[in-house]
Amino acid sequence: MKPLKFFLIAAGINLVLFISMYLLPLNPLRSLVGYTTSFFVFIFGFGVAVSVIVSKDACILATTTGTLELYQTFYEFLTIIALTIPLYLHSFRKLFEKLAVLVTMMIGYYVLLYGSTILLLENGFKVPWLLTFIRFNTESFMILAFGLIWFFVNKNEILKIVDDLKGH
């Protein structure tokens, strides 16, 4: 696939995904991360309950000692998905495998970050550095971080596009 065609397809897919997500009454990515984090805390906190309150603007993870707000939109997931789809248009099986790996890693990152923070707070630890990191953990930063993961997961297909670029 030619690099320009790849980027045009990825940009189009990203735009469609973004508009679709924006038009939904609730952000399903927030819900997915919120409920998965709640399950993680329940399992690894030996029964610690986390209430998940989902609204249009945020997802609140509430415990007996306080709340943690998931204000992020998680739109970086959409960008990584949009960059992956054009790489595997020739093989839907491979596409689903790669998307499963990437989405699991992205969700896993947030679940570990939020879940471990909640568990530390629930056990009486003061973690202002972790709360500050969460506050500044923006989508633009995560697109770069997840972009590196995307590259390593899809290295062979990306190198084919780079080789195609060199050939012309």
Side-chain angles (χ1 to χ4, degrees):
M1 175 180 297
K2 304 239 184 255
L4 181 60
K5 182 179 178 183
F6 166 79
F7 286 114
L8 288 174
I9 292 171
I13 292 170
N14 199 23
L15 185 61
V16 168
L17 289 174
F18 179 81
I19 290 170
S20 300
M21 189 70 66
Y22 185 74
L23 294 174
L24 293 173
L26 295 173
N27 185 325
L29 296 172
R30 277 190 193 130
S31 298
L32 181 62
V33 171
Y35 284 108
T36 307
T37 301
S38 176
F39 181 72
F40 174 87
V41 170
F42 181 79
I43 296 295
F44 291 103
F46 303 107
V48 172
V50 175
S51 299
V52 180
I53 304 158
V54 182
S55 72
K56 174 81 174 149
D57 300 321
C59 179
I60 308 293
L61 301 174
T63 65
T64 55
T65 61
T67 61
L68 186 62
E69 183 178 350
L70 304 183
Y71 60 89
Q72 282 131 323
T73 58
F74 301 108
Y75 287 157
E76 66 271 23
F77 286 32
L78 305 180
T79 302
I80 298 303
I81 290 169
L83 287 170
T84 305
I85 292 172
L87 294 174
Y88 301 101
L89 289 175
H90 61 280
S91 172
F92 288 115
R93 185 184 67 75
K94 194 95 162 153
L95 171 65
F96 290 122
E97 286 175 5
K98 297 296 182 170
L99 285 176
V101 168
L102 287 166
V103 170
T104 300
M105 291 175 81
M106 291 185 291
I107 290 171
Y109 166 77
Y110 282 111
V111 168
L112 285 174
L113 177 63
Y114 294 128
S116 59
T117 301
I118 290 169
L119 289 173
L120 288 169
L121 291 169
E122 284 292 305
N123 288 305
F125 291 94
K126 304 288 184 216
V127 287
W129 51 273
L130 200 48
L131 293 171
T132 301
F133 178 75
I134 288 172
R135 193 171 316 119
F136 291 112
N137 191 31
T138 63
E139 280 88 356
S140 57
F141 170 73
M142 291 315 300
I143 286 175
L144 292 174
F146 289 152
L148 288 172
I149 293 169
W150 171 80
F151 174 78
F152 288 112
V153 169
N154 299 299
K155 182 175 52 175
N156 293 336
E157 292 297 319
I158 295 167
L159 291 176
K160 286 179 188 175
I161 290 174
V162 170
D163 287 342
D164 194 29
L165 183 63
K166 288 179 184 178
H168 289 64

